[in-house]
Amino acid sequence: MPLDFSNKTAVVTGGANGIGQACAQALAGGGAGVWILDLPRERPAEAASRFGAQGLEADVTDPDSLRRAFEVTGAPDILLANAGTVYFEDLHSTTREQWERTIAVNLGGVFHTLQVASELMKPRRRGSIVITASTNSFDGEAGLLAYNASKAGLLGILRTAANELGPYQIRVNAVCPGLIRTRLTVEMFANPELTRDYFRHIPLGRGGEPEEVANAAAFLASDLAGFITGAALFVDGGQMAAKFGSWNESMGVFEKDHWRLK
Ligand SMILES: NC(=O)c1ccc[n+]([C@@H]2O[C@H](COP(=O)([O-])OP(=O)(O)OC[C@H]3O[C@@H](n4cnc5c(N)ncnc54)[C@H](O)[C@@H]3O)[C@@H](O)[C@H]2O)c1
């Protein structure tokens, strides 16, 4: 979806892979000067050069490393706080290290990113921030205890930051993806038994692609969303609207990776 981001600088955390990379590509495709920030092991400069962006090494759990990165990028017009991680563990199996890491990256990382970036953005009295939250910000999907807690906490950051930064004409919104095909979920997508069951609960009958989240994030980041702040937008094929699911064998067939009507 071509949106005009000419003369805008965008920073995307976790931009070397998956949803962040798709977002960075969408923004670059619309003419933005894009910086991706990611961990050294992801070689962000190399990853960014593949689609005309620039990359810097930064760890969102470390405010000093973020400060160093934003000294290079300067104040962004658009900030996507997207970096995240996940452990598939339940209440009893989650270790203290997994809990602390998940909260540090997914919740602390967004806090540090917004705090460092917004100090640069505020004097300019403009800007747009999009946080990658999740459907798991709202539900209690089993086996994702720490992840769910971190993503639910993002709603508190979202609303408070929207409130505090609104007077500076900085909008803060969130995308809440459902199940999206990235390396975090590649094993789930490769398991037809699992997807057959999972996608029963998705009115559109399938999982999502990173580009579909990027389209929503790009819209929220763009001037087209000029009067939208504090919003959390589901990008989930309708999953959160469908309490008891949508598909069964009497009306549909499951083919490879999606349900279709008979
Ligand atoms: N894939 C899904 O189904 C799904 C659904 C809902 C929300 N999300 C969220 O979308 C975001 C992107 O996830 P993805 O699926 O694209 O996964 P991904 O692993 O492909 O991308 C995540 C990126 O974040 C980076 N990252 C992790 N820790 C970091 C740190 N400390 N500092 C800097 N960068 C760091 C990783 O290196 C990676 O490049 C995450 O916040 C995730 O929770 C994903």
Side-chain angles (χ1 to χ4, degrees), residues 33-258:
V34 177
W35 292 89
I36 63 171
L37 311 188
D38 213 307
L39 296 171
R41 66 171 184 235
E42 304 299 336
R43 301 175 187 277
E46 209 177 295
S49 67
R50 285 185 219 118
F51 52 91
Q54 298 181 83
L56 293 169
E57 295 176 3
D59 182 340
V60 296
T61 66
D62 173 5
D64 289 335
S65 105
L66 285 168
R67 263 182 223 109
R68 285 193 294 274
F70 280 104
E71 267 169 28
V72 178
T73 67
D77 300 289
I78 295 167
L79 172 67
L80 268 53
N82 163 81
T85 194
V86 66
Y87 297 98
F88 294 92
E89 304 287 351
D90 67 17
L91 173 60
H92 293 288
S93 64
T94 302
T95 65
R96 180 177 173 165
E97 289 70 30
Q98 289 170 333
W99 167 262
E100 287 177 353
R101 181 72 191 159
T102 307
I103 298 299
V105 176
N106 294 4
L107 191 55
V110 171
F111 160 61
H112 296 308
T113 303
L114 264 59
Q115 190 176 56
V116 171
S118 67
E119 281 313 300
L120 299 170
M121 296 167 80
K122 276 159 79 172
R124 307 168 84 212
R125 304 285 193 266
R126 64 172 193 274
S128 176
I129 297 173
V130 182
I131 295 169
T132 306
S134 173
T135 47
N136 296 62
S137 302
F138 295 85
D139 68 31
E141 186 177 351
L144 286 164
L145 189 277
Y147 185 79
N148 294 346
S150 70
K151 292 292 179 180
L154 288 181
L155 298 179
I157 294 183
L158 163 73
R159 292 169 183 143
T160 312
N163 189 6
E164 293 184 2
L165 298 177
Y168 296 88
Q169 303 307 312
I170 299 170
R171 298 181 298 102
V172 187
N173 293 292
V175 283
C176 298
L179 187 65
I180 308 298
R181 193 194 307 265
T182 69
R183 65 182 190 172
L184 288 189
T185 56
V186 70
E187 281 174 26
M188 295 174 79
F189 274 86
N191 180 345
E193 303 271 287
L194 203 147
T195 47
R196 181 192 187 89
D197 233 33
Y198 195 111
F199 297 169
R200 273 182 208 285
H201 300 276
I202 300 177
L204 296 184
R206 63 176 178 84
E209 302 297 332
E211 294 70 25
E212 294 177 303
V213 182
N215 285 340
F219 163 69
L220 288 172
S222 79
D223 295 340
L224 286 181
F227 199 50
I228 303 177
T229 194
L233 177 59
F234 289 123
V235 187
D236 67 345
Q239 185 178 3
M240 295 300 283
K243 190 169 182 183
F244 296 111
S246 314
W247 293 90
N248 58 58
E249 278 72 10
S250 66
M251 38 80 86
V253 253
F254 187 74
E255 278 177 350
K256 197 171 151 257
D257 60 0
H258 66 280

